[in-house]
Amino acid sequence: MKFIGIVSSLIVLPALAFAHGNRAEVTLAAVETATKKFVKEQASQVASFKGVRGWIEGTNLKVEVFLNNNTKFSYTCHHVDQGGQMTIHCE
């Protein structure tokens, strides 16, 4: 019985975490938020921008911004519900 509870929580909890948008929409919002943060905080490196990658890891969203010089900036983002509005915060 404990096994069923654990398996159920692994399936249900990630779905609840992204209840205000499907997984693709939430990931896209995280990529956008992290990219804007990168542009604002690393203005001198924007010319070296190569690409960006985003994915869901547990209840967090991960984003990596890649530069031409093989440098990358990694962000962990969180989905926050503020009065029915989806807000993403990245660190």
Side-chain angles (χ1 to χ4, degrees), residues 8-21 23 26 58-59 79 81:
S8 296
S9 67
L10 291 174
I11 294 169
V12 173
L13 290 178
L16 290 176
F18 304 109
H20 289 285
R23 295 169 64 89
V26 174
T59 58
H79 171 253
D81 179 17

Side-chain angles (χ1 to χ4, degrees), residues 46-91:
V46 171
S48 297
F49 179 84
K50 182 177 183 178
V52 64
R53 178 179 116 174
W55 70 97
I56 295 172
E57 188 173 283
T59 58
N60 292 322
L61 300 132
K62 300 287 187 168
V63 178
E64 291 181 336
V65 175
F66 299 93
L67 305 181
N68 287 327
N69 60 5
N70 293 325
T71 302
K72 72 177 176 183
F73 290 85
S74 299
Y75 298 92
T76 299
C77 304
H78 308 279
H79 171 253
V80 179
D81 179 17
Q82 293 182 333
Q85 293 279 42
M86 179 175 64
T87 304
I88 303 288
H89 297 282
C90 298
E91 304 165 1

